[in-house]
């Protein structure tokens, strides 16, 4: 069983972005943990931890007990990676995963969680834009000072 969002006939694989071409072998839908490590860049330790904390609630197993990930699991990991980049706390990511598993009646809660995260991202972007403006001013100052020194020496 994998984490999926569904509504009637629509299926949303947690709005994960499409993979870059060539990242997954064509036609393959079963991956070992080492293959997932190679595809995602995550460590095996991280993948097992995600499973333990409920971020990856159920990963299928082979007859020998080895984890077997599918493309939906990789889509979910893509989304988790994007959520991590937003700075969303792990507890909130786990809560989001729980809400997804609970079903369609949790859309409002998911909406609110993602909306709050978006607001945090916008605030961080604004801070970074302000920081970039300060850096640009300093860079321009030193560029101008460097030109002035060079023209004095000539």
């Amino acid at each position: 069983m994998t984490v999926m969002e569904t509504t009637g006939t629509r299926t949303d694989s947690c709005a994960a972005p499409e993979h870059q071409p060539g990242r997954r072998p064509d036609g393959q839908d079963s991956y070992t943990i080492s293959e997932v490590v190679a595809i995602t860049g995550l460590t095996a330790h991280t993948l097992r931890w995600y499973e333990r904390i409920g971020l990856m609630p159920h990963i299928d197993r082979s007859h020998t007990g080895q984890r077997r990930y599918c493309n939906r699991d990789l889509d979910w990991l893509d989304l988790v990676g994007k959520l991590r980049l937003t700075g969303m706390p792990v507890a909130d990511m786990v809560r989001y995963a729980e809400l997804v598993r609970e079903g369609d009646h949790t859309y409002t809660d998911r909406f609110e969680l993602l909306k709050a995260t978006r607001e945090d991202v916008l605030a961080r972007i604004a801070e970074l834009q302000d920081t970039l403006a300060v850096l640009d001013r300093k860079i321009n100052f030193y560029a101008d000072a460097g030109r002035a020194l060079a023209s004095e020496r000539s």
Side-chain angles (χ1 to χ4, degrees):
M1 178 177 155
T2 58
V3 178
M4 290 292 294
E5 295 179 34
T6 61
T7 56
T9 59
R10 281 190 350 199
T11 299
D12 178 3
S13 63
C14 304
E18 291 296 317
H19 276 282
Q20 297 172 0
R23 288 196 58 200
R24 296 183 196 174
D26 286 340
Q28 185 170 336
D29 192 27
S30 180
Y31 307 88
T32 64
I33 197 166
S34 61
E35 290 171 321
V36 173
V37 164
I39 292 168
T40 65
L42 297 170
T43 65
H45 173 77
T46 298
L47 292 168
R48 288 188 293 269
W49 180 64
Y50 282 179
E51 191 175 352
R52 220 173 22 257
I53 66 172
L55 202 49
M56 296 288 298
H58 175 77
I59 301 299
D60 288 334
R61 302 281 181 143
S62 70
H63 68 283
T64 60
Q66 292 180 323
R67 288 172 177 83
R68 292 289 179 211
Y69 296 83
C70 67
N71 286 323
R72 287 182 179 172
D73 298 324
L74 295 181
D75 290 342
W76 178 254
L77 288 169
D78 279 347
L79 176 64
V80 168
K82 297 298 183 206
L83 294 177
R84 289 190 68 204
L85 286 174
T86 71
M88 180 185 274
V90 172
D92 286 349
M93 289 188 280
V94 170
R95 177 68 182 138
Y96 181 80
E98 289 168 351
L99 291 169
V100 170
R101 285 191 301 274
E102 288 176 24
D104 292 353
H105 69 280
T106 65
Y107 275 9
T108 301
D109 292 332
R110 287 185 252 174
F111 170 82
E112 293 299 330
L113 183 58
L114 293 177
K115 185 177 172 192
T117 300
R118 184 179 191 280
E119 290 168 5
D120 291 344
V121 169
L122 288 172
R124 284 187 28 228
I125 289 170
E127 287 175 340
L128 288 172
Q129 287 173 331
D130 290 344
T131 302
L132 184 59
V134 169
L135 288 173
D136 287 343
R137 283 194 300 275
K138 288 294 189 183
I139 289 167
N140 289 334
F141 169 81
Y142 289 117
D144 293 343
R147 282 192 292 276
L149 284 174
S151 67
E152 286 177 12
R153 292 183 186 155
S154 337

